[in-house]
Amino acid sequence: MRTPLLAGNWKMFKTPEEAKAFFQEFLPLVEKIEGKEILLCVPFIDLQVSIEAVKNSNIQVGAQNGHWEKEGAYTGEISMEMLKQIQCPWVIIGHSERREYFGETNQTTAFKVRAALENGLKPILCVGESLEERESGKTNEKVIGQITEGLAGLSEEEMKKVTVAYEPIWAIGTGKTATSEDAQNVCSVLRSTIQKLFGEVSQEVRILYGGSVKPDNAPELLAQPDIDGALVGGASLKAGDFAQIVKS
Ligand code: PGA
Protein backbone atom coordinates (compact mmCIF):
# COMPACT_ATOMS: atom_id res chain seq x y z
CA MET A 1 0.00 0.00 0.00
CA ARG A 2 2.89 2.40 0.72
CA THR A 3 5.16 2.96 -2.26
CA PRO A 4 8.78 2.53 -1.16
CA LEU A 5 10.85 5.72 -1.28
CA LEU A 6 14.60 5.50 -1.77
CA ALA A 7 16.07 8.89 -1.03
CA GLY A 8 19.67 10.02 -1.29
CA ASN A 9 21.10 12.86 0.76
CA TRP A 10 24.26 14.22 -0.80
CA LYS A 11 24.93 16.63 2.08
CA MET A 12 27.68 19.12 1.10
CA PHE A 13 29.07 17.04 -1.74
CA LYS A 14 29.19 17.45 -5.54
CA THR A 15 29.47 20.52 -7.74
CA PRO A 16 26.92 21.10 -10.54
CA GLU A 17 29.30 19.44 -13.00
CA GLU A 18 29.63 16.41 -10.73
CA ALA A 19 25.87 16.29 -10.26
CA LYS A 20 25.36 16.21 -14.02
CA ALA A 21 27.87 13.40 -14.38
CA PHE A 22 26.16 11.44 -11.59
CA PHE A 23 22.76 11.58 -13.28
CA GLN A 24 24.24 10.60 -16.63
CA GLU A 25 25.55 7.45 -15.01
CA PHE A 26 22.61 6.85 -12.67
CA LEU A 27 19.61 7.26 -15.00
CA PRO A 28 20.26 4.22 -17.19
CA LEU A 29 20.91 2.07 -14.10
CA VAL A 30 17.42 2.61 -12.68
CA GLU A 31 15.30 3.48 -15.72
CA LYS A 32 13.40 0.20 -15.67
CA ILE A 33 12.48 0.37 -12.01
CA GLU A 34 8.77 0.69 -11.31
CA GLY A 35 6.71 0.75 -8.15
CA LYS A 36 9.31 2.72 -6.19
CA GLU A 37 10.05 6.39 -5.85
CA ILE A 38 13.65 7.48 -6.31
CA LEU A 39 14.84 10.80 -4.95
CA LEU A 40 18.15 12.65 -4.66
CA CYS A 41 18.39 15.57 -2.23
CA VAL A 42 21.23 17.72 -3.49
CA PRO A 43 22.99 20.95 -2.44
CA PHE A 44 21.07 24.12 -3.41
CA ILE A 45 23.62 24.98 -6.07
CA ASP A 46 23.00 21.63 -7.81
CA LEU A 47 19.21 21.84 -7.82
CA GLN A 48 18.67 23.38 -11.23
CA VAL A 49 21.09 21.16 -13.16
CA SER A 50 19.74 18.13 -11.33
CA ILE A 51 16.09 18.98 -12.00
CA GLU A 52 17.02 19.45 -15.67
CA ALA A 53 18.97 16.18 -15.72
CA VAL A 54 16.09 14.05 -14.39
CA LYS A 55 13.37 15.50 -16.65
CA ASN A 56 11.24 12.73 -18.19
CA SER A 57 12.79 10.11 -15.94
CA ASN A 58 11.56 8.20 -12.89
CA ILE A 59 13.88 10.17 -10.61
CA GLN A 60 12.98 13.16 -8.46
CA VAL A 61 15.12 15.86 -6.92
CA GLY A 62 14.85 17.58 -3.54
CA ALA A 63 16.59 20.12 -1.32
CA GLN A 64 18.15 19.48 2.08
CA ASN A 65 16.72 22.48 3.91
CA GLY A 66 14.53 25.54 3.38
CA HIS A 67 13.53 28.60 5.36
CA TRP A 68 9.91 29.05 6.42
CA GLU A 69 9.64 32.76 5.61
CA LYS A 70 8.75 33.63 2.03
CA GLU A 71 11.59 36.16 1.75
CA GLY A 72 13.42 38.60 3.98
CA ALA A 73 16.66 39.58 5.69
CA TYR A 74 17.92 36.06 6.37
CA THR A 75 21.45 36.04 5.00
CA GLY A 76 22.46 32.73 3.52
CA GLU A 77 18.99 31.20 3.55
CA ILE A 78 16.78 29.84 0.75
CA SER A 79 13.01 29.86 1.23
CA MET A 80 10.49 27.09 0.58
CA GLU A 81 8.80 29.59 -1.73
CA MET A 82 12.04 29.86 -3.77
CA LEU A 83 12.26 26.08 -3.96
CA LYS A 84 8.72 25.98 -5.26
CA GLN A 85 9.63 28.56 -7.92
CA ILE A 86 12.31 26.30 -9.38
CA GLN A 87 9.96 23.32 -9.17
CA CYS A 88 11.84 21.46 -6.51
CA PRO A 89 9.25 19.00 -5.17
CA TRP A 90 10.91 17.65 -2.01
CA VAL A 91 12.78 18.97 1.01
CA ILE A 92 14.55 17.33 3.94
CA ILE A 93 13.75 19.01 7.27
CA GLY A 94 15.49 18.77 10.63
CA HIS A 95 18.35 16.47 9.67
CA SER A 96 20.41 15.75 12.79
CA GLU A 97 23.36 17.64 11.27
CA ARG A 98 21.15 20.73 10.96
CA ARG A 99 19.98 20.29 14.53
CA GLU A 100 23.52 19.75 15.84
CA TYR A 101 25.53 22.31 13.86
CA PHE A 102 22.94 24.92 12.94
CA GLY A 103 20.77 25.05 16.02
CA GLU A 104 17.56 23.71 14.53
CA THR A 105 14.92 22.83 17.09
CA ASN A 106 11.63 21.00 17.09
CA GLN A 107 9.99 24.38 16.81
CA THR A 108 11.93 25.45 13.70
CA THR A 109 11.28 22.05 12.11
CA ALA A 110 7.56 22.61 12.72
CA PHE A 111 7.74 26.02 10.97
CA LYS A 112 9.58 24.42 8.07
CA VAL A 113 7.19 21.49 7.69
CA ARG A 114 4.26 23.91 7.58
CA ALA A 115 5.99 26.22 5.07
CA ALA A 116 6.94 23.27 2.86
CA LEU A 117 3.35 22.04 2.75
CA GLU A 118 1.99 25.51 2.11
CA ASN A 119 4.26 25.73 -0.92
CA GLY A 120 3.29 22.31 -2.21
CA LEU A 121 6.63 20.70 -1.31
CA LYS A 122 6.83 17.24 0.23
CA PRO A 123 8.76 17.37 3.50
CA ILE A 124 10.88 14.57 4.94
CA LEU A 125 11.09 15.19 8.68
CA CYS A 126 14.15 13.57 10.27
CA VAL A 127 14.22 12.33 13.85
CA GLY A 128 16.65 10.21 15.83
CA GLU A 129 18.44 9.72 19.11
CA SER A 130 22.07 10.16 20.15
CA LEU A 131 24.14 7.25 21.44
CA GLU A 132 23.82 8.55 24.98
CA GLU A 133 20.04 8.72 24.67
CA ARG A 134 19.91 5.20 23.28
CA GLU A 135 22.12 3.83 26.05
CA SER A 136 20.03 5.47 28.73
CA GLY A 137 16.80 4.07 27.31
CA LYS A 138 15.48 7.40 26.06
CA THR A 139 15.14 6.58 22.35
CA ASN A 140 11.37 6.41 22.17
CA GLU A 141 10.86 9.47 24.33
CA LYS A 142 13.22 11.47 22.10
CA VAL A 143 11.70 10.52 18.74
CA ILE A 144 8.11 10.80 20.00
CA GLY A 145 8.90 14.35 21.21
CA GLN A 146 10.51 15.23 17.88
CA ILE A 147 7.57 14.14 15.76
CA THR A 148 4.91 15.40 18.14
CA GLU A 149 6.43 18.88 18.10
CA GLY A 150 7.65 18.85 14.50
CA LEU A 151 4.24 17.86 13.13
CA ALA A 152 2.18 19.97 15.53
CA GLY A 153 -0.89 21.58 14.05
CA LEU A 154 -1.05 19.61 10.79
CA SER A 155 -4.35 18.30 9.53
CA GLU A 156 -4.81 14.65 8.60
CA GLU A 157 -4.82 15.67 4.94
CA GLU A 158 -1.49 17.49 5.37
CA MET A 159 0.01 14.59 7.29
CA LYS A 160 -0.51 12.35 4.27
CA LYS A 161 2.05 14.40 2.38
CA VAL A 162 4.73 14.11 5.05
CA THR A 163 7.46 11.47 5.13
CA VAL A 164 9.28 10.72 8.37
CA ALA A 165 12.89 9.50 8.45
CA TYR A 166 14.22 7.69 11.49
CA GLU A 167 17.97 8.25 11.63
CA PRO A 168 19.77 7.27 14.83
CA ILE A 169 22.54 9.87 15.13
CA TRP A 170 25.11 7.28 16.16
CA ALA A 171 24.51 5.39 12.91
CA ILE A 172 24.99 8.35 10.54
CA GLY A 173 28.24 8.23 8.63
CA THR A 174 29.77 5.87 11.17
CA GLY A 175 29.35 2.55 9.42
CA LYS A 176 27.28 1.39 12.42
CA THR A 177 23.76 0.50 11.40
CA ALA A 178 20.89 -0.12 13.76
CA THR A 179 19.93 -3.79 13.63
CA SER A 180 16.88 -4.26 11.45
CA GLU A 181 14.98 -5.23 14.59
CA ASP A 182 15.93 -2.03 16.46
CA ALA A 183 15.14 0.08 13.41
CA GLN A 184 11.77 -1.67 12.97
CA ASN A 185 10.93 -1.16 16.66
CA VAL A 186 11.48 2.58 16.53
CA CYS A 187 9.67 2.93 13.18
CA SER A 188 6.73 1.08 14.67
CA VAL A 189 6.71 3.43 17.68
CA LEU A 190 6.73 6.34 15.23
CA ARG A 191 3.79 4.90 13.30
CA SER A 192 1.73 4.36 16.43
CA THR A 193 2.52 7.91 17.56
CA ILE A 194 1.31 9.22 14.19
CA GLN A 195 -1.79 7.09 14.62
CA LYS A 196 -2.48 8.62 18.05
CA LEU A 197 -1.97 12.11 16.68
CA PHE A 198 -3.59 11.84 13.26
CA GLY A 199 -5.56 8.59 13.12
CA GLU A 200 -5.70 6.07 10.29
CA VAL A 201 -3.64 8.21 7.95
CA SER A 202 -0.67 6.69 9.81
CA GLN A 203 -1.08 3.64 7.57
CA GLU A 204 -0.32 5.79 4.53
CA VAL A 205 2.61 7.77 5.92
CA ARG A 206 6.00 6.55 4.78
CA ILE A 207 8.70 6.04 7.37
CA LEU A 208 12.27 5.74 6.14
CA TYR A 209 15.32 4.41 7.93
CA GLY A 210 18.64 6.21 7.58
CA GLY A 211 22.13 5.70 8.99
CA SER A 212 24.89 3.86 7.14
CA VAL A 213 22.52 2.20 4.68
CA LYS A 214 24.66 0.34 2.14
CA PRO A 215 23.94 -2.11 -0.68
CA ASP A 216 24.63 -5.07 1.64
CA ASN A 217 22.41 -4.10 4.59
CA ALA A 218 19.58 -2.44 2.62
CA PRO A 219 17.59 -5.60 1.78
CA GLU A 220 17.12 -6.64 5.41
CA LEU A 221 16.26 -3.14 6.61
CA LEU A 222 13.80 -2.58 3.77
CA ALA A 223 12.08 -5.89 4.46
CA GLN A 224 10.81 -4.65 7.84
CA PRO A 225 7.05 -4.01 7.96
CA ASP A 226 7.25 -0.41 9.18
CA ILE A 227 10.26 0.65 7.10
CA ASP A 228 9.06 2.06 3.79
CA GLY A 229 12.35 3.13 2.33
CA ALA A 230 15.73 4.59 3.14
CA LEU A 231 17.48 7.92 3.48
CA VAL A 232 20.97 7.28 2.24
CA GLY A 233 23.96 9.59 2.75
CA GLY A 234 27.41 8.34 1.76
CA ALA A 235 26.23 5.49 -0.46
CA SER A 236 24.05 7.84 -2.53
CA LEU A 237 27.12 9.63 -3.85
CA LYS A 238 28.06 6.66 -6.03
CA ALA A 239 25.63 5.93 -8.84
CA GLY A 240 26.36 2.18 -8.76
CA ASP A 241 25.88 1.84 -4.99
CA PHE A 242 22.72 3.88 -4.87
CA ALA A 243 21.27 1.99 -7.85
CA GLN A 244 21.94 -1.26 -6.02
CA ILE A 245 20.13 0.05 -2.92
CA VAL A 246 17.20 1.18 -5.06
CA LYS A 247 16.98 -2.33 -6.50
CA SER A 248 16.98 -3.98 -3.06
P1 PGA B 1 24.85 7.95 5.94
O1 PGA B 1 23.95 9.26 6.15
O2 PGA B 1 24.08 7.03 5.03
O3 PGA B 1 26.13 8.45 5.32
O4 PGA B 1 25.05 7.36 7.29
C1 PGA B 1 22.57 9.20 6.27
C2 PGA B 1 21.99 10.58 6.47
O5 PGA B 1 22.60 11.38 7.18
O6 PGA B 1 20.92 10.92 5.92
Side-chain angles (χ1 to χ4, degrees):
M1 178 171 97
R2 298 184 293 264
T3 307
L5 171 62
L6 288 309
N9 170 16
W10 281 356
K11 310 193 179 186
M12 198 171 71
F13 289 99
K14 292 195 193 292
T15 62
E17 277 307 307
E18 290 166 340
K20 243 196 258 177
F22 172 93
F23 286 108
Q24 256 166 22
E25 188 185 346
F26 185 61
L27 256 67
L29 300 178
V30 297
E31 68 183 351
K32 296 212 172 66
I33 292 184
E34 287 171 12
K36 291 180 187 179
E37 284 191 78
I38 309 168
L39 168 68
L40 270 309
C41 295
V42 306
F44 289 129
I45 199 172
D46 298 337
L47 279 169
Q48 283 187 294
V49 289
S50 301
I51 289 168
E52 189 57 38
V54 303
K55 249 186 201 155
N56 304 318
S57 79
N58 55 344
I59 300 165
Q60 304 174 73
V61 166
Q64 301 168 12
N65 183 28
H67 197 280
W68 59 89
E69 293 289 352
K70 181 173 179 241
E71 58 187 10
Y74 299 102
T75 302
E77 290 290 315
I78 303 275
S79 71
M80 298 292 179
E81 161 89 23
M82 289 166 168
L83 295 174
K84 175 177 78 178
Q85 293 296 330
I86 62 158
Q87 285 162 32
C88 168
W90 288 88
V91 61
I92 295 175
I93 292 174
H95 188 280
S96 61
E97 287 150 15
R98 302 263 353 140
R99 294 177 192 258
E100 185 179 350
Y101 307 130
F102 303 99
E104 293 203 11
T105 62
N106 290 343
Q107 165 121 73
T108 60
T109 62
F111 291 157
K112 290 177 182 205
V113 169
R114 162 133 319 277
L117 291 169
E118 278 170 0
N119 284 289
L121 272 83
K122 291 179 267 190
I124 301 177
L125 176 66
C126 300
V127 301
E129 82 287 2
S130 65
L131 188 57
E132 198 187 334
E133 286 159 342
R134 169 152 292 259
E135 284 173 348
S136 55
K138 298 213 172 87
T139 300
N140 291 355
E141 189 187 321
K142 172 77 179 285
V143 299
I144 290 172
Q146 285 176 317
I147 57 164
T148 306
E149 291 182 42
L151 302 174
L154 298 190
S155 68
E156 209 176 305
E157 229 14 71
E158 288 170 324
M159 188 59 217
K160 267 188 204 169
K161 298 175 188 139
V162 177
T163 299
V164 174
Y166 168 55
E167 298 203 302
I169 298 168
W170 49 271
I172 294 177
T174 56
K176 284 186 210 156
T177 330
T179 63
S180 50
E181 197 188 340
D182 284 342
Q184 161 58 26
N185 284 342
V186 179
C187 290
S188 147
V189 165
L190 288 169
R191 197 176 304 285
S192 40
T193 307
I194 297 168
Q195 164 139 34
K196 274 187 214 135
L197 296 169
F198 299 96
E200 277 316 298
V201 69
S202 62
Q203 293 308 312
E204 290 173 52
V205 171
R206 285 181 290 191
I207 302 179
L208 314 180
Y209 169 79
S212 298
V213 175
K214 305 281 181 246
D216 59 344
N217 60 25
E220 195 184 325
L221 287 159
L222 294 170
Q224 303 305 311
D226 284 298
I227 299 180
D228 308 312
L231 184 55
V232 184
S236 73
L237 293 167
K238 290 197 186 128
D241 284 357
F242 192 49
Q244 225 179 307
I245 292 172
V246 169
K247 289 174 188 162
S248 296

Coordinates of all heavy atoms in Angstrom, one line a residue, residues 61-112:
V61 N 14.1 15.1 -7.6 CA 15.1 15.9 -6.9 C 14.5 16.7 -5.7 O 13.4 17.1 -5.8 CB 15.8 16.8 -7.9 CG1 16.7 17.8 -7.3 CG2 16.6 16.0 -8.9
G62 N 15.3 16.8 -4.7 CA 14.9 17.6 -3.5 C 16.0 18.4 -2.9 O 17.2 18.2 -3.3
A63 N 15.6 19.3 -2.0 CA 16.6 20.1 -1.3 C 16.8 19.5 0.1 O 16.1 18.6 0.5 CB 16.1 21.5 -1.2
Q64 N 17.8 20.0 0.8 CA 18.2 19.5 2.1 C 17.7 20.4 3.2 O 18.0 20.1 4.4 CB 19.7 19.3 2.2 CG 20.2 18.3 1.1 CD 21.7 18.4 1.0 OE1 22.4 18.9 1.9 NE2 22.3 17.8 0.0
N65 N 17.1 21.5 2.9 CA 16.7 22.5 3.9 C 15.9 23.6 3.2 O 16.0 23.7 2.0 CB 18.0 23.1 4.6 CG 17.7 24.1 5.7 OD1 16.6 24.0 6.3 ND2 18.5 25.1 5.8
G66 N 15.2 24.4 4.0 CA 14.5 25.5 3.4 C 14.0 26.4 4.5 O 13.7 25.9 5.6
H67 N 14.0 27.7 4.3 CA 13.5 28.6 5.4 C 12.0 28.8 5.3 O 11.5 28.6 4.2 CB 14.2 30.0 5.2 CG 14.1 30.8 6.5 ND1 12.9 31.5 6.8 CD2 14.9 31.0 7.5 CE1 13.1 32.1 8.0 NE2 14.3 31.8 8.4
W68 N 11.4 29.0 6.4 CA 9.9 29.1 6.4 C 9.4 30.4 5.9 O 8.3 30.4 5.4 CB 9.4 28.7 7.8 CG 9.8 29.6 8.9 CD1 9.3 30.8 9.3 CD2 11.0 29.4 9.7 NE1 10.0 31.3 10.4 CE2 11.0 30.5 10.6 CE3 12.0 28.4 9.8 CZ2 12.0 30.6 11.6 CZ3 13.0 28.6 10.8 CH2 13.0 29.7 11.6
E69 N 10.1 31.5 6.1 CA 9.6 32.8 5.6 C 9.7 32.8 4.1 O 10.6 32.2 3.5 CB 10.5 33.9 6.2 CG 10.4 34.1 7.7 CD 9.0 34.7 8.1 OE1 8.2 35.1 7.3 OE2 8.8 34.7 9.3
K70 N 8.8 33.6 3.5 CA 8.7 33.6 2.0 C 10.0 34.3 1.5 O 10.6 33.9 0.5 CB 7.5 34.4 1.7 CG 7.2 34.6 0.2 CD 5.8 35.3 0.1 CE 5.6 35.5 -1.4 NZ 5.4 36.9 -1.8
E71 N 10.4 35.4 2.1 CA 11.6 36.2 1.7 C 12.0 37.0 2.9 O 11.2 37.1 3.9 CB 11.3 37.0 0.5 CG 10.2 38.0 0.7 CD 9.9 38.8 -0.6 OE1 10.3 38.4 -1.7 OE2 9.1 39.7 -0.5
G72 N 13.1 37.7 2.9 CA 13.4 38.6 4.0 C 14.9 38.7 4.3 O 15.7 38.1 3.5
A73 N 15.3 39.4 5.3 CA 16.7 39.6 5.7 C 17.2 38.4 6.5 O 17.3 38.4 7.7 CB 16.8 40.9 6.5
Y74 N 17.4 37.3 5.8 CA 17.9 36.1 6.4 C 19.1 35.6 5.6 O 19.0 34.7 4.7 CB 16.8 35.0 6.4 CG 15.6 35.4 7.2 CD1 14.5 35.8 6.5 CD2 15.7 35.4 8.6 CE1 13.4 36.3 7.3 CE2 14.6 35.8 9.3 CZ 13.4 36.2 8.7 OH 12.3 36.6 9.4
T75 N 20.2 36.3 5.8 CA 21.4 36.0 5.0 C 21.8 34.6 4.9 O 21.9 33.9 5.9 CB 22.6 36.8 5.6 OG1 22.3 38.2 5.7 CG2 23.9 36.7 4.8
G76 N 22.0 34.1 3.7 CA 22.5 32.7 3.5 C 21.3 31.7 3.4 O 21.6 30.5 3.2
E77 N 20.1 32.2 3.6 CA 19.0 31.2 3.6 C 18.3 31.1 2.2 O 18.4 32.1 1.4 CB 18.0 31.6 4.6 CG 18.4 31.4 6.0 CD 18.6 29.9 6.4 OE1 17.7 29.1 6.1 OE2 19.6 29.6 7.0
I78 N 17.6 30.1 2.0 CA 16.8 29.8 0.8 C 15.4 29.5 1.2 O 15.2 28.6 2.1 CB 17.3 28.6 -0.1 CG1 18.8 28.8 -0.4 CG2 16.4 28.3 -1.3 CD1 19.1 29.6 -1.7
S79 N 14.4 30.1 0.7 CA 13.0 29.9 1.2 C 12.3 28.7 0.5 O 12.7 28.3 -0.6 CB 12.2 31.1 1.1 OG 11.8 31.4 -0.2
M80 N 11.3 28.2 1.2 CA 10.5 27.1 0.6 C 9.8 27.7 -0.7 O 9.7 27.0 -1.7 CB 9.4 26.6 1.6 CG 9.9 26.0 2.8 SD 10.8 24.4 2.6 CE 11.3 24.1 4.3
E81 N 9.4 28.9 -0.6 CA 8.8 29.6 -1.7 C 9.8 29.6 -2.9 O 9.4 29.3 -4.1 CB 8.4 31.0 -1.3 CG 8.2 32.0 -2.4 CD 6.8 32.1 -2.9 OE1 5.9 31.7 -2.1 OE2 6.6 32.5 -4.0
M82 N 11.1 29.9 -2.7 CA 12.0 29.9 -3.8 C 12.2 28.5 -4.3 O 12.3 28.3 -5.6 CB 13.4 30.4 -3.3 CG 13.4 31.8 -2.9 SD 14.9 32.2 -2.0 CE 14.8 34.0 -2.0
L83 N 12.1 27.5 -3.5 CA 12.3 26.1 -4.0 C 11.1 25.7 -4.9 O 11.2 25.1 -5.9 CB 12.3 25.1 -2.8 CG 13.6 25.3 -1.9 CD1 13.5 24.4 -0.7 CD2 14.9 24.9 -2.7
K84 N 9.9 26.2 -4.4 CA 8.7 26.0 -5.3 C 8.9 26.6 -6.6 O 8.6 26.0 -7.7 CB 7.5 26.6 -4.6 CG 6.2 26.5 -5.4 CD 5.0 27.0 -4.8 CE 4.9 28.5 -4.8 NZ 3.7 29.0 -4.1
Q85 N 9.4 27.8 -6.6 CA 9.6 28.6 -7.9 C 10.5 27.8 -8.9 O 10.3 27.9 -10.1 CB 10.3 29.9 -7.7 CG 9.4 30.9 -6.9 CD 8.2 31.3 -7.7 OE1 8.2 31.3 -8.9 NE2 7.1 31.6 -6.9
I86 N 11.5 27.0 -8.4 CA 12.3 26.3 -9.4 C 11.8 24.9 -9.5 O 12.5 24.0 -10.1 CB 13.8 26.3 -9.0 CG1 14.1 25.6 -7.6 CG2 14.4 27.7 -9.0 CD1 15.5 25.2 -7.5
Q87 N 10.6 24.6 -9.0 CA 10.0 23.3 -9.2 C 10.7 22.2 -8.5 O 10.9 21.1 -9.1 CB 9.7 23.0 -10.6 CG 8.5 23.9 -11.1 CD 8.3 24.0 -12.5 OE1 8.7 23.1 -13.3 NE2 7.8 25.1 -13.0
C88 N 11.2 22.5 -7.3 CA 11.8 21.5 -6.5 C 10.7 20.8 -5.6 O 10.1 21.5 -4.8 CB 12.9 22.1 -5.6 SG 13.5 21.1 -4.3
P89 N 10.4 19.6 -5.8 CA 9.2 19.0 -5.2 C 9.4 18.5 -3.8 O 8.5 18.2 -3.1 CB 8.9 17.8 -6.1 CG 10.1 17.5 -6.8 CD 11.0 18.6 -6.8
W90 N 10.7 18.3 -3.3 CA 10.9 17.6 -2.0 C 11.9 18.5 -1.2 O 12.7 19.2 -1.7 CB 11.6 16.3 -2.2 CG 10.7 15.2 -2.7 CD1 10.5 14.9 -4.1 CD2 10.0 14.2 -2.0 NE1 9.7 13.8 -4.2 CE2 9.3 13.4 -2.9 CE3 9.8 14.0 -0.6 CZ2 8.5 12.3 -2.5 CZ3 9.0 12.9 -0.2 CH2 8.4 12.1 -1.2
V91 N 11.8 18.3 0.1 CA 12.8 19.0 1.0 C 13.0 18.2 2.3 O 12.0 17.7 2.9 CB 12.4 20.4 1.3 CG1 11.0 20.5 2.0 CG2 13.5 21.2 2.1
I92 N 14.2 18.0 2.7 CA 14.5 17.3 3.9 C 14.4 18.4 5.0 O 14.9 19.5 4.8 CB 16.0 16.8 3.9 CG1 16.1 15.6 2.9 CG2 16.4 16.3 5.3 CD1 17.5 15.1 2.8
I93 N 13.9 18.0 6.2 CA 13.8 19.0 7.3 C 14.3 18.4 8.6 O 13.9 17.2 8.9 CB 12.3 19.4 7.4 CG1 11.9 20.3 6.2 CG2 12.1 20.3 8.7 CD1 10.4 20.7 6.1
G94 N 15.1 19.2 9.3 CA 15.5 18.8 10.6 C 16.5 17.6 10.7 O 16.5 16.8 11.6
H95 N 17.3 17.5 9.6 CA 18.3 16.5 9.7 C 19.2 16.7 10.9 O 19.4 17.8 11.3 CB 19.2 16.6 8.4 CG 20.2 15.4 8.3 ND1 21.4 15.4 9.0 CD2 20.1 14.3 7.6 CE1 22.0 14.3 8.7 NE2 21.2 13.6 7.9
S96 N 19.7 15.6 11.5 CA 20.4 15.7 12.8 C 21.6 16.7 12.7 O 22.0 17.3 13.6 CB 20.8 14.4 13.3 OG 21.7 13.7 12.4
E97 N 22.2 16.7 11.4 CA 23.4 17.6 11.3 C 22.9 19.1 11.3 O 23.6 20.0 11.8 CB 24.1 17.3 10.0 CG 24.9 16.0 10.1 CD 25.0 15.3 8.8 OE1 24.8 15.8 7.7 OE2 25.4 14.1 8.8
R98 N 21.7 19.4 10.9 CA 21.1 20.7 11.0 C 20.8 21.0 12.4 O 21.0 22.2 12.9 CB 19.9 20.9 10.1 CG 20.1 20.6 8.7 CD 20.3 21.7 7.7 NE 20.1 23.0 8.3 CZ 21.0 24.0 8.0 NH1 22.0 23.9 7.1 NH2 20.8 25.2 8.5
R99 N 20.3 20.1 13.1 CA 20.0 20.3 14.5 C 21.3 20.5 15.3 O 21.3 21.4 16.2 CB 19.2 19.1 15.1 CG 17.8 18.9 14.5 CD 17.2 17.6 15.0 NE 16.0 17.2 14.3 CZ 14.7 17.4 14.8 NH1 14.5 18.0 15.9 NH2 13.7 16.9 14.1
E100 N 22.3 19.7 15.0 CA 23.5 19.7 15.8 C 24.4 21.0 15.5 O 24.9 21.6 16.4 CB 24.3 18.5 15.6 CG 25.6 18.4 16.5 CD 26.3 17.1 16.3 OE1 25.9 16.2 15.7 OE2 27.5 17.0 16.9
Y101 N 24.6 21.2 14.2 CA 25.5 22.3 13.9 C 24.9 23.7 13.6 O 25.6 24.7 13.5 CB 26.3 21.9 12.6 CG 27.0 20.6 12.7 CD1 26.9 19.6 11.7 CD2 27.8 20.3 13.8 CE1 27.5 18.4 11.8 CE2 28.4 19.0 13.9 CZ 28.3 18.1 12.9 OH 28.9 16.9 13.0
F102 N 23.6 23.7 13.3 CA 22.9 24.9 12.9 C 21.8 25.3 13.8 O 20.9 26.1 13.5 CB 22.5 24.9 11.5 CG 23.7 24.6 10.6 CD1 23.9 23.3 10.1 CD2 24.6 25.6 10.2 CE1 25.0 23.0 9.3 CE2 25.7 25.3 9.4 CZ 25.9 24.0 8.9
G103 N 21.7 24.6 15.0 CA 20.8 25.1 16.0 C 19.3 24.8 15.7 O 18.4 25.5 16.2
E104 N 19.0 23.9 14.8 CA 17.6 23.7 14.5 C 16.9 23.0 15.7 O 17.5 22.2 16.4 CB 17.4 22.9 13.2 CG 17.8 23.7 12.0 CD 17.2 23.2 10.7 OE1 16.3 22.4 10.7 OE2 17.7 23.7 9.7
T105 N 15.7 23.4 15.9 CA 14.9 22.8 17.1 C 13.6 22.2 16.6 O 13.3 22.3 15.4 CB 14.5 24.0 18.0 OG1 13.7 24.9 17.3 CG2 15.8 24.7 18.5
N106 N 12.9 21.5 17.5 CA 11.6 21.0 17.1 C 10.7 22.1 16.6 O 9.9 21.9 15.7 CB 11.0 20.3 18.3 CG 11.7 19.0 18.6 OD1 12.5 18.5 17.8 ND2 11.5 18.5 19.8
Q107 N 10.8 23.3 17.2 CA 10.0 24.4 16.8 C 10.3 24.9 15.4 O 9.4 25.1 14.6 CB 10.2 25.5 17.8 CG 9.6 26.8 17.3 CD 8.6 27.4 18.2 OE1 8.9 27.9 19.3 NE2 7.4 27.3 17.8
T108 N 11.6 25.0 15.1 CA 11.9 25.4 13.7 C 11.6 24.4 12.7 O 11.1 24.7 11.6 CB 13.4 25.9 13.5 OG1 14.3 24.8 13.8 CG2 13.7 27.1 14.4
T109 N 11.7 23.1 13.1 CA 11.3 22.0 12.1 C 9.8 22.1 11.9 O 9.3 22.0 10.7 CB 11.7 20.6 12.6 OG1 11.0 20.3 13.8 CG2 13.1 20.4 12.7
A110 N 9.0 22.5 12.9 CA 7.6 22.6 12.7 C 7.2 23.8 11.8 O 6.4 23.6 10.9 CB 6.9 22.8 14.1
F111 N 8.0 24.9 11.9 CA 7.7 26.0 11.0 C 8.1 25.6 9.5 O 7.4 25.9 8.6 CB 8.7 27.2 11.3 CG 8.4 27.9 12.6 CD1 9.4 28.6 13.3 CD2 7.1 27.9 13.2 CE1 9.1 29.3 14.4 CE2 6.8 28.5 14.4 CZ 7.8 29.3 15.0
K112 N 9.1 24.8 9.4 CA 9.6 24.4 8.1 C 8.6 23.4 7.4 O 8.4 23.5 6.2 CB 11.0 23.8 8.1 CG 12.0 24.9 8.4 CD 13.4 24.4 8.6 CE 14.4 25.5 8.9 NZ 15.8 25.2 8.6

